[in-house]
């Protein structure tokens, strides 16, 4: 695959099928992995300072945004209507033997909605949290809530991860065994428009969540979404967790890398069990409108031209597209294999699990192939315009090494791009057809 050079600039990375994996456990590998992490602590510490300094620079020097999508924080009375506390408790009730009670942040998002639905269907207790910001169409987020989560009995609290009062309230209402932290400011290119939103959500919001979690007794295990973007300008493929990640190509990537270092710090000091999952270009039904496969579909159907990016010297742009159901299975397996946190009352009592794991498909596909599949499924010829990929934070190529995910999680993606896009196109036509009918 190394002959494929650059990849789809229109796509960022960021998951409906339930079920648990039967992971291949290896205590020998676990010991080796922990030894490797500790042996690299000096380098991690140095780059932690570099990334945090970079992020602080962006935060203090960037002008206030007039288009920030976040809303203000509110009083606890308005988080979900009257009696919302009882709805939280009911939604968190575990209905299966050895089930989990999971707080899912970003529950109305693409991955969050699918993961919440899968957890609920298998009998876990699930409480969602989402601030329904306007980064993209709020109608789609509300539709995920009403058509997927509400019908499955998942209660979603309308609130923000930066609201410490709300988080403490939720942890007081429910003994969450796990947190699936998916709330984030997504998108590579939007960071050039509103950089502060990335700091507020991906750094400050994550720290706020960790602060509340580390003081909870007992502490929950945490699984959270990092990103393949952390590999940045890395030219070695496929991307391995052992590769360097100190050359981010975007502010989004820098905040996700900073999140990994912050997570390591809270694991080391407070004993929080933390697993970071590096998602590779997630796609599928109910996906994000800012992703290339989504807006390509929209523009092709409307007979509008689409821009296909290529690298220098006509180099190919490609992505390791990973179908939503495969990502969700990886998330659930990460929850199932997460060891208990070891802290109590904010104090560490012993060594705690810390993992960083790639979740991808291991089969990069060029943008030209993506478009040809969409043309076939939509039965419409695309009006293509080939342009040089701009320097806007995107990288030309991604390719995941998932050997660690196989060993730790039993992760085995099964959906090829054409199969996954067929499911997406069916959903897209059904969803937008229903919207037109309701408008009439």
């Amino acid at each position: 695959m190394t002959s494929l050079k650059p990849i789809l600039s229109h796509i960022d990375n960021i998951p409906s099928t339930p079920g648990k994996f039967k992971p291949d456990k290896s205590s020998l590998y676990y010991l080796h992995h922990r030894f490797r992490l500790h042996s690299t602590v000096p380098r991690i510490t140095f780059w932690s300072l570099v990334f945090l300094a970079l992020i602080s620079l962006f935060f203090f020097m960037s002008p206030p945004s007039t288009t920030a999508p976040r809303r203000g924080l509110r009083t606890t009375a308005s988080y979900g209507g009257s009696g919302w506390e009882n709805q939280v408790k009911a939604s968190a009730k575990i209905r299966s033997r050895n089930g989990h009670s999971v707080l899912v942040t970003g529950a109305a998002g693409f991955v969050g909605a699918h993961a919440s639905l899968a957890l609920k269907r298998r009998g876990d207790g699930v409480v969602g949290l989402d601030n329904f910001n306007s980064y993209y169409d709020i109608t789609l987020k509300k539709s995920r809530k009403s058509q997927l989560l509400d019908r499955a009995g998942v209660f979603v609290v309308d609130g923000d991860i930066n609201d410490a009062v709300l988080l403490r309230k939720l942890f007081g209402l429910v003994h969450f065994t796990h947190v699936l932290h998916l709330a984030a400011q997504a998108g590579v290119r939007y960071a050039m428009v509103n950089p502060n939103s990335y700091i507020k959500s991906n750094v400050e919001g994550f720290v706020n969540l960790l602060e509340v979690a580390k003081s909870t007794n007992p502490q929950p295990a945490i699984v959270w979404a990092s990103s393949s973007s952390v590999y940045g300008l890395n030219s070695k493929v496929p991307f391995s967790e052992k590769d360097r990640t100190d050359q981010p190509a975007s502010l989004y990537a820098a905040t996700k890398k900073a999140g990994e270092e912050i997570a390591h710090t809270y694991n080391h000091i407070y004993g929080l069990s933390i697993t970071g999952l590096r998602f590779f270009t997630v796609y599928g039904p109910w996906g994000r409108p800012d992703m290339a496969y989504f807006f390509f579909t929209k523009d092709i159907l409307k007979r509008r031209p689409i821009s296909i990016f290529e690298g220098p010297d006509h180099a190919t742009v490609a992505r390791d597209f990973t179908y939503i159901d495969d990502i969700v299975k990886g998330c659930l397996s990460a929850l199932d294999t997460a060891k208990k946190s070891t802290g109590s009352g904010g104090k560490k009592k012993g060594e705690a699990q810390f993992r960083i794991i790639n979740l991808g498909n291991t089969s990069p596909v060029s943008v030209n192939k993506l478009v040809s599949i969409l043309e076939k499924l939509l039965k419409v010829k695309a009006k293509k315009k080939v342009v040089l990929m701009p320097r806007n934070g995107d990288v030309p190529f991604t390719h995941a090494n998932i050997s660690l995910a196989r060993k730790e999680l039993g992760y085995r993606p099964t959906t090829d791009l054409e199969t996954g896009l067929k499911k997406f196109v069916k959903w897209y036509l059904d969803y937008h057809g229903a919207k037109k009918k309701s408008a009439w």
Side-chain angles (χ1 to χ4, degrees), residues 51-70:
F51 279 112
L52 292 176
L54 173 64
I55 287 166
S56 297
L57 183 64
F58 269 102
F59 180 68
F60 288 111
M61 294 188 67
S62 299
S65 171
T66 58
T67 60
R70 283 186 67 251

Side-chain angles (χ1 to χ4, degrees), residues 101-105 127-129 167 170-171 176 178-180 209:
S101 181
V102 188
L103 173 64
V104 181
T105 69
V127 175
L129 175 64
L167 291 180
L170 290 173
F171 278 93
F176 292 111
H178 297 73
V179 174
L180 181 58
L209 176 65

Side-chain angles (χ1 to χ4, degrees), residues 173-184:
L173 290 170
V174 178
H175 167 218
F176 292 111
T177 59
H178 297 73
V179 174
L180 181 58
H181 178 48
L182 302 172

Side-chain angles (χ1 to χ4, degrees), residues 11-36:
I11 301 177
D12 311 336
N13 39 294
I14 312 244
S16 102
T17 303
K20 296 185 179 180
F21 276 79
K22 295 181 179 179
D24 300 321
K25 297 182 180 178
S26 173
S27 58
L28 181 61
Y29 178 82
Y30 175 68
L31 290 173
H32 169 74
H33 185 55
R34 286 198 60 81
F35 176 78
R36 181 177 65 80

Side-chain angles (χ1 to χ4, degrees), residues 30 108 153 166 174-175 239 252 271 288 323 372:
Y30 175 68
L166 170 60
V174 178
H175 167 218
F239 298 162
Y252 169 73
R288 288 192 357 234
Y323 189 62
S372 68

Side-chain angles (χ1 to χ4, degrees), residues 391-418:
R391 297 175 63 88
N392 60 2
D394 271 320
V395 294
F397 186 85
T398 61
H399 183 184
N401 178 331
I402 60 170
S403 57
L404 179 58
R406 287 195 183 103
K407 180 171 289 190
E408 285 279 319
L409 310 178
Y411 175 74
R412 290 175 176 81
T414 60
T415 308
D416 63 83
L417 183 59
E418 184 162 357

Side-chain angles (χ1 to χ4, degrees), residues 153-226:
V154 176
F155 182 70
V156 180
V157 177
D158 188 350
D160 197 292
I161 56 173
N162 282 285
D163 188 343
V165 173
L166 170 60
L167 291 180
R168 286 193 292 268
K169 176 76 171 179
L170 290 173
F171 278 93
L173 290 170
V174 178
H175 167 218
F176 292 111
T177 59
H178 297 73
V179 174
L180 181 58
H181 178 48
L182 302 172
Q185 176 58 62
V188 170
R189 292 169 295 281
Y190 185 63
M192 300 178 71
V193 177
N194 188 3
N196 286 348
S197 66
Y198 290 79
I199 307 302
K200 194 67 179 177
S201 180
N202 301 356
V203 179
E204 291 183 26
F206 189 28
V207 169
N208 195 51
L209 176 65
L210 293 174
E211 276 292 305
V212 174
K214 60 101 168 171
S215 301
T216 302
N217 192 14
Q219 297 171 334
I222 297 175
V223 175
W224 74 286
S226 183

